[in-house]
Amino acid sequence: MAEQNPLYDETPRVELTPAAADLLRRLRATHGPLMFHQSGGCCDGSAPMCYPEGEFRTGGSDVLLAELHVEGVVEPVTFWMSRSQYEVWSHTRLIVDVVEGRGSGFSLEAPEGVRFLTRSRVVDA
């Protein structure tokens, strides 16, 4: 199992915009429990990928940044990031938003005509 970020309990590192929370409620109704993974990889860059919970296998190279509580969703939505990406973004608060346009075909929102996007704000610098 991947390691949890030791700062997780002290400073929430991830938040959702109202639009992102609305989309998660719709995706949860269709796909069941959800998770995010942000790799910082090649395809969508700063776009977090949304999967059915457990579909993306996390491991020692991943950090659990948050368990997002979304009104209307029973279970928390976990938010994971690759450890190497976390080292670069550890000084930021991540804000998950939704923008128009298709993202990755791997992320659950792709057929909706929108995509999740991570914005960031420097904290504790």
Side-chain angles (χ1 to χ4, degrees):
M1 178 58 85
E3 179 181 322
Q4 183 172 336
N5 170 9
L7 297 176
Y8 169 68
D9 291 326
E10 297 173 17
T11 305
R13 294 292 185 189
V14 182
E15 63 185 73
L16 299 169
T17 64
D22 286 343
L23 181 54
L24 285 172
R25 281 188 281 278
R26 292 195 318 264
L27 293 173
R28 169 57 176 92
T30 302
H31 301 283
L34 304 170
M35 68 180 290
F36 279 109
H37 188 270
Q38 175 105 32
S39 70
C42 64
C43 299
D44 279 305
S46 63
M49 299 292 133
C50 184
Y51 301 101
E53 179 67 42
E55 185 173 298
F56 185 93
R57 295 185 68 154
T58 58
S61 63
D62 297 298
V63 177
L64 176 61
L65 292 185
E67 292 181 347
L68 302 167
H69 297 278
V70 181
E71 186 177 335
V73 175
V74 176
E75 64 285 314
V77 177
T78 56
F79 191 100
W80 296 86
M81 179 179 278
S82 68
R83 184 175 305 283
S84 60
Q85 188 70 11
Y86 175 71
E87 289 172 9
V88 175
W89 287 13
S90 63
H91 63 285
T92 63
R93 175 172 302 223
L94 305 178
I95 302 134
V96 179
D97 199 1
V98 175
V99 295
E100 302 259 333
R102 275 193 60 118
S104 170
F106 298 114
S107 195
L108 290 175
E109 80 282 3
E112 304 284 323
V114 295
R115 63 186 177 97
F116 288 110
L117 178 74
T118 301
R119 303 177 194 280
S120 63
R121 185 174 68 222
V122 175
V123 294
D124 301 326

